Amino acid sequence: MVKKIMELITNASVDGDDGILVTALKLLKNQCNLEELEGDYYIQLVNMISLVKVESTKALLIETIVESPDYVTGNEFLDEYVGLLSRGATNVEEAARCLGAFTAAGSTNNEIFLQLAENLDHEFAIEILVSMGRSKWGDVPSHLESFARRVQIAQRIRYRSAVIGAFLLIVHPLCSEYAHISSLSFGYPFTESAVNDWAWVTPKNTEKIVAKKIVTPKEADVLVKLGGLLRSNVNLNLRETKKLYAEFFEDKNPFDVIYTLPE
């Protein structure tokens, strides 16, 4: 399959057909085993970089190249890719995946952090860094300390919203009923998935998220209560779920609770 797609890429490049080129690159990147993208195939793609003029296509090309086993980290591709990001050539999801591939190939988290902080709009940079799911970015120069704090806050909010989203999916009957068709995301398509993944069963399980100020000690106690019931294979009834919900949110707006970090 890789061979046929590479032939398609070659023909599209020669013909200057960007539409076919994009389609072929997406097939290669998302539908093929990129372990096969080595040797002559890899060299062919690298040689195309200077020939591709459409920036979104060039970003897609680099995103594909860096997932090849032949790719060895180098600032040349990273610099060029970040430049493309700064001009809006790709989206957050693809950027996070590509930058993750850069780190897998040898770039450091610190390099990625500094590149994005120095060259991208900060809101866009924060969204990408949070989506990458890394917790340590290395030494940060003094002029970027404020930005680093914003990243940390955003990461905590993301984690907190994921925990509480799963909690809501389990204890709120309407969330349970309509999650699979809702535009709101609770992290899981069905309640059963959230139940099976529920990690907060003992106080020991919640120590880290309390220490990192993802949840308060009181909120952690409620999560553990739910975990105890789930571990006991208890079929939660409406009275129990209402009690857990009330203990957690205390008559506050759930969105205010979700997006307010512990002090």
Side-chain angles (χ1 to χ4, degrees), residues 202-254:
T202 69
K204 184 75 174 176
N205 299 142
T206 59
E207 283 181 358
K208 286 187 177 180
I209 59 173
V210 171
K212 292 181 178 180
K213 296 186 176 181
I214 306 300
V215 298
T216 67
K218 187 173 182 179
E219 290 169 341
D221 288 343
V222 180
L223 300 180
V224 170
K225 285 181 184 178
L226 174 59
L229 292 171
L230 296 176
R231 184 174 62 175
S232 302
N233 294 317
V234 172
N235 290 321
L236 298 176
N237 58 46
L238 188 59
R239 183 180 63 82
E240 289 168 331
T241 56
K242 278 187 173 181
K243 182 180 179 182
L244 290 168
Y245 181 94
E247 284 185 44
F248 196 94
F249 292 107
E250 299 179 323
D251 294 324
K252 298 174 185 174
N253 183 312

Side-chain angles (χ1 to χ4, degrees), residues 5-200:
I5 293 175
M6 289 302 299
E7 289 173 356
L8 188 61
I9 288 171
T10 300
N11 293 335
S13 180
V14 170
D15 296 340
D17 192 331
D18 189 69
I20 296 295
L21 180 57
V22 167
T23 299
L25 284 171
K26 286 182 177 179
L27 277 173
L28 185 62
K29 178 185 173 187
N30 298 316
Q31 303 297 326
C32 294
N33 177 11
L34 291 181
E35 292 294 320
E36 299 177 32
L37 189 62
E38 55 186 357
D40 290 343
Y41 293 151
Y42 172 78
I43 293 170
Q44 180 181 338
L45 292 182
V46 170
N47 289 338
M48 286 176 57
I49 290 180
S50 61
L51 303 176
V52 174
K53 303 305 179 186
V54 179
E55 291 197 329
S56 58
T57 307
K58 184 172 288 192
L60 176 58
L61 180 58
I62 293 174
E63 289 164 0
T64 307
I65 287 170
V66 298
E67 293 195 30
S68 162
D70 278 7
Y71 175 71
V72 179
T73 190
N75 285 337
E76 179 184 356
F77 284 170
L78 180 58
D79 291 346
E80 184 162 10
Y81 187 69
V82 172
L84 291 166
L85 284 180
S86 71
R87 297 188 292 277
T90 191
N91 60 40
V92 170
E93 181 181 358
E94 299 302 336
R97 173 178 166 178
C98 180
L99 293 169
F102 271 111
T103 61
S107 295
T108 67
N109 287 337
N110 186 252
E111 287 177 295
I112 300 296
F113 181 92
L114 295 178
Q115 281 270 17
L116 299 194
E118 297 282 11
N119 295 289
L120 267 58
D121 169 80
H122 276 186
E123 293 299 329
F124 187 36
I126 289 170
E127 198 172 351
I128 294 171
L129 290 168
V130 170
S131 295
M132 288 181 68
R134 311 300 167 90
S135 59
K136 296 181 180 179
W137 300 105
D139 294 332
V140 176
S142 58
H143 71 283
L144 290 176
E145 287 177 354
S146 175
F147 173 76
R149 285 192 292 271
R150 290 179 63 194
V151 173
Q152 290 174 343
I153 289 171
Q155 288 175 315
R156 289 168 59 205
I157 286 288
R158 185 183 180 94
Y159 195 172
R160 178 175 173 82
S161 62
V163 172
I164 300 177
F167 176 79
L168 277 170
L169 185 57
I170 296 171
V171 304
H172 198 294
L174 293 179
C175 292
S176 301
E177 184 173 357
Y178 296 117
H180 64 293
I181 58 170
S182 174
S183 295
L184 293 175
S185 174
F186 297 94
Y188 299 91
F190 300 102
T191 305
E192 292 78 9
S193 302
V195 169
N196 291 336
D197 269 2
W198 192 256
W200 326 114

